[in-house]
Amino acid sequence: MGMLDKWFGGKNDYPPLPADNEASARLDEIKPQLEELASRVHDHLEVVPGEHEAYVYLGKPPKRFGIAWLHDGKVDGLNDLVQEHSLSQPQVQKLIGELSAAYKQASEAPRYSAEVGGKQVTVIPSRGLGKEVHQIIEGAIH
């Protein structure tokens, strides 16, 4: 894969996530929810394991993406957040902008590949990105 592949939507070849990596253990904790999401979504998934949850960028971040988070045994997405908390269009745009900026800031964070439910996903084991996404989502709903 060359530089042009990355710019034009080609897949990146990341090393496999080591079994002894802390992120691997966190993925095991949310495996059922992650497999459910992987089976429903046909876009590329980039998983950011957090303390007690995981955030998943769907599609082609930082420009064209959705987001889901896996917590408390369930999968929530941006639409769920908008409906549950009656977010306005300007609030949603701000949220998306902040999530995009957080992703861009973590561009140098190591990335790995993993297989989830027969699908290749990218894993970004960045505590900083996980905390920032958590704060952005919490800020949007409070």
Side-chain angles (χ1 to χ4, degrees):
M1 294 269 160
M3 178 88 60
L4 293 177
D5 292 329
K6 184 175 180 182
W7 289 340
F8 294 110
K11 297 213 188 250
N12 289 308
D13 290 324
Y14 296 118
L17 180 66
D20 63 349
N21 188 300
E22 184 179 342
S24 183
R26 290 189 180 157
L27 289 182
D28 286 343
E29 292 175 17
I30 51 135
K31 188 175 182 176
Q33 295 84 14
L34 192 53
E35 286 179 342
E36 173 195 338
L37 181 64
S39 72
R40 288 187 306 169
V41 175
H42 299 290
D43 278 332
H44 177 69
L45 306 178
E46 296 197 27
V47 183
V48 182
E51 291 292 322
H52 303 289
E53 68 280 313
Y55 302 99
V56 183
Y57 282 87
L58 316 165
K60 297 178 183 174
K63 296 192 183 220
R64 295 179 48 100
F65 69 93
I67 191 140
W69 53 99
L70 316 175
H71 62 102
D72 302 324
K74 62 182 183 171
V75 179
D76 282 326
L78 185 58
N79 289 339
D80 300 315
L81 184 76
V82 169
Q83 290 176 358
E84 286 177 27
H85 299 280
S86 302
L87 299 180
S88 67
Q89 190 61 31
Q91 289 172 310
V92 173
Q93 291 302 330
K94 180 179 183 244
L95 174 65
I96 291 170
E98 290 174 351
L99 291 168
S100 177
Y103 182 89
K104 286 178 192 175
Q105 283 184 320
S107 66
E108 298 300 317
R111 283 161 168 72
Y112 300 94
S113 65
E115 186 174 315
V116 176
K119 183 175 188 170
Q120 283 298 121
V121 301
T122 299
V123 180
I124 308 171
S126 168
R127 285 180 185 253
L129 179 56
K131 286 180 181 179
E132 190 166 354
V133 171
H134 178 80
Q135 290 171 346
I136 290 166
I137 291 172
E138 286 295 310
I141 60 176
H142 294 294

